[in-house]
Structure formats: C-alpha cells, structure tokens
C-alpha cells in the first residue's frame, strides 16, 4: 500500500538519535513518501538536508508561531530553499489565533509574504490555520491561491466548506482519533471530495490516542500513518487500499511528486 505522509516534523529533536530507523520503519509500513515540514528558515534548511540524505521531500516556510522573527532576510533564505530540488511546497505558513505566540499583524505579514512568494515561484502551499477562521480564508481568497493544502484540519463544517470552496486540499491527522476533541471529523471527512483528501501524521505530535500499545514517550512517527488511514477509511466506509491509492495520487498531483517513483520506493522496501 503506497502511502504518503504529507506532514512530518522530522527536524524535531525527538528524532535526532534514531531518524534513519524511523524512516526505515515508515517504509516497511508502506509509507514510501514523506514530506518533511519546515517551520523556520533554519528548520527548513535542516528539512532539506534530511530530505537529501534519506530520499524524502521537504517544505520551506515559517510557521505563524515564529512570525515575530520574520523579516526580509528570512524571505530571502526561504526563496533560496524553495529552489531546492526536493522542496515541494512553501510552508508551513498561515495563522494561529489559538496559541498567539506572535501578534496577529506579524502573523498576517509573514503569511502574506510567503503566499506572494509561492505564487511568484509557482509553488504549492502547505497551510496552517488554527482558530483563525474566517480571516485565514479571506487572505487565501484575496490572493487567489489555488494549489494548497489546509494541513491538520481540526475545524467545523463551515470552515471545511469554506476551504473546499477555495479549492484547497485538506490534510487529516490523528486528531480524528481524539475522543475528546476530534470525533466530529469522523463525520466531516465524508464531505471532503475523494480527490481533495490528504493524510499526514504531523509527527512527533498528535499520536493517535486509540493506537495500542501507545509508543514510547507517546512520540508519533510516519510509520503510524496506516493507523490514520484505517480510521479515515472506516469513517468513509471505503476499503483502506482505495483510500491509500487515492490520497497518494492526490499528494503526487498537488506537490508534483512522481507517483510511480513513490510506489516504487514502497515496493522496493516491501520486497527487501
Ligand atoms: Zn500546523
């Protein structure tokens, strides 16, 4: 089953000691393609290094949490990283009005600068929006963004439909397994057209709470993507194999990844 994890924070310190084993496990689990998320200019550079070394993909961007440190120098660095052959998207960028680690005006400025750069370079966007609806959708609409994913969708129906109306892809994480705050997604996921759905772990965060046994230190990793696939497929009432093929195809289309290469990697690993 060729799966694509469109969002894994593999530059996180919790992966420093065993990253090669983590990636080997994910391939053995059928996750042949991983996009490593960039969250600052520095992390984006590290993401590109990891992608080079382990045959993965990466994004280049600044997360809204870090918007306060964003300046002209940052955008110049991102522009360089965007040209890296393994960089498939600009992001993670967007708005986070939940934690508010950066003031809203700084978040908007940082977000818009990355949107404009992505449009100029013809790159898709990896977008983060938390408690920022409807402002986030307004900005996306104003800029005419088309090729983008709203990653780790956790919102309600109205927000989901606003994103779908904008033509965005929607990324589903293990949040869907969270019995405290994610059960609404089991129903909402049915509203996402088959050709707009993407799967992601958001490792090392958001370990599916219903996975048994729970991993050590509750660290999430791309090898757990099949668990999310099973949950999503059950919610959709469709065979997991079908959802795997469809979501991998969607990721390949959005990010311009060679799909045959992605499934080859998975097959080669399975055969090894
Ligand atoms: Zn995010």
């Amino acid at each position: 089953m060729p799966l694509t994890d469109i969002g894994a924070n593999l530059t996180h310190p919790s992966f420093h000691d065993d990253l090669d084993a983590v990636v080997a496990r994910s391939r053995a689990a059928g996750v042949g393609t991983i996009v490593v998320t960039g969250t600052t200019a520095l992390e984006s550079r590290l993401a590109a290094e990891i992608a080079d070394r382990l045959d993965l993909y990466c994004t280049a961007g600044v997360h809204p949490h870090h918007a306060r440190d964003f300046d002209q120098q940052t955008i110049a660095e991102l522009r360089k990283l965007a040209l890296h052959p393994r960089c498939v998207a600009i992001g993670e960028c967007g708005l986070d009005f939940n934690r508010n680690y950066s003031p809203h005006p700084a978040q908007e400025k940082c977000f818009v600068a990355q949107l404009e750069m992505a449009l100029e370079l013809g790159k898709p966007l990896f977008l983060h929006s938390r408690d920022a609806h409807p402002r986030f959708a307004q900005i996306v609409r104003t800029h005419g963004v088309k090729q983008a994913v709203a990653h780790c969708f956790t919102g309600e129906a109205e927000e989901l439909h606003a994103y779908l109306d904008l033509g965005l892809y929607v990324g589903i994480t293990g949040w869907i397994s969270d019995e405290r705050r994610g059960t609404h997604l089991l129903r909402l996921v049915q509203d996402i057209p088959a050709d707009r759905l993407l799967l992601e772990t958001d490792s090392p965060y958001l370990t599916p709470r219903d996975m048994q046994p729970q991993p050590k230190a509750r660290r999430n990793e791309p090898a757990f993507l099949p668990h999310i696939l099973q949950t999503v497929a059950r919610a959709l009432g469709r065979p997991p194999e079908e959802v795997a093929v469809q979501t991998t195809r969607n990721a390949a289309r959005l990010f311009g990844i060679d799909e045959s290469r992605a499934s080859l990697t998975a097959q080669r690993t399975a055969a090894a």
Side-chain angles (χ1 to χ4, degrees):
M1 228 180 330
L3 274 169
T4 299
D5 185 350
I6 65 142
N9 299 280
L10 298 186
T11 61
H12 191 274
S14 65
F15 290 118
H16 278 179
D17 292 338
D18 64 342
L19 183 59
D20 293 42
V22 165
V23 171
R25 268 202 294 278
S26 74
R27 293 205 165 116
V31 185
T33 306
I34 300 172
V35 182
V36 184
T37 313
T39 53
T40 64
L42 172 64
E43 299 285 325
S44 300
R45 185 147 23 110
L46 295 175
E49 283 172 21
I50 289 173
D52 265 337
R53 190 166 67 78
L54 295 171
D55 193 14
L56 312 172
Y57 297 96
C58 58
T59 69
V62 174
H63 191 284
H65 287 346
H66 305 287
R68 59 165 81 239
D69 303 320
F70 183 89
D71 56 21
Q72 283 312 112
Q73 169 84 29
T74 321
I75 198 83
E77 280 180 58
L78 291 183
R79 188 178 285 275
K80 242 184 282 164
L81 288 166
L83 302 176
H84 188 283
R86 289 183 181 270
C87 177
V88 293
I90 301 305
E92 145 169 36
C93 60
L95 301 176
D96 194 307
F97 295 170
N98 178 271
R99 302 282 180 94
N100 291 311
Y101 288 150
S102 290
H104 293 192
Q107 288 193 34
E108 293 203 5
K109 199 171 144 219
C110 174
F111 181 26
V112 167
Q114 292 177 82
L115 286 187
E116 286 174 347
M117 183 179 73
L119 290 169
E120 184 198 320
L121 298 175
K123 285 271 208 204
L125 281 144
F126 187 92
L127 300 173
H128 172 104
S129 173
R130 183 112 189 258
D131 293 355
H133 186 66
R135 183 62 185 143
F136 171 86
Q138 274 168 7
I139 293 176
V140 169
R141 188 179 303 108
T142 308
H143 286 80
V145 171
K146 290 279 178 287
Q147 291 288 93
V149 53
H151 112 99
C152 190
F153 182 80
T154 58
E156 301 292 336
E158 200 263 327
E159 183 176 350
L160 175 68
H161 286 279
Y163 295 172
L164 292 172
D165 288 347
L166 288 169
L168 303 188
Y169 289 76
V170 178
I172 296 293
T173 60
W175 193 286
I176 195 170
S177 291
D178 190 330
E179 79 288 354
R180 304 161 307 175
R181 56 185 186 176
T183 48
H184 66 294
L185 293 177
L186 293 168
R187 180 178 36 78
L188 270 190
V189 79
Q190 298 168 17
D191 288 4
I192 304 173
D195 64 354
R196 293 282 129 180
L197 177 65
L198 298 169
L199 300 178
E200 51 175 327
T201 58
D202 207 20
S203 305
Y205 314 112
L206 304 179
T207 307
R209 287 170 55 86
D210 58 348
M211 206 174 62
Q212 292 301 334
Q214 284 286 296
K216 213 172 95 204
R218 306 204 55 216
R219 183 187 71 175
N220 198 8
E221 54 180 76
F224 304 152
L225 193 66
H227 183 89
I228 298 167
L229 167 73
Q230 296 290 344
T231 308
V232 168
R234 221 167 25 241
L236 294 174
R238 289 168 57 203
E241 295 75 14
E242 197 183 298
V243 178
V245 168
Q246 179 79 61
T247 52
T248 287
R249 185 174 301 153
N250 295 344
R253 187 188 322 111
L254 173 62
F255 295 127
I257 296 171
D258 182 357
E259 199 189 332
S260 57
R261 188 203 152 282
S263 18
L264 274 178
T265 311
Q267 279 166 18
R268 226 185 291 128
T269 316

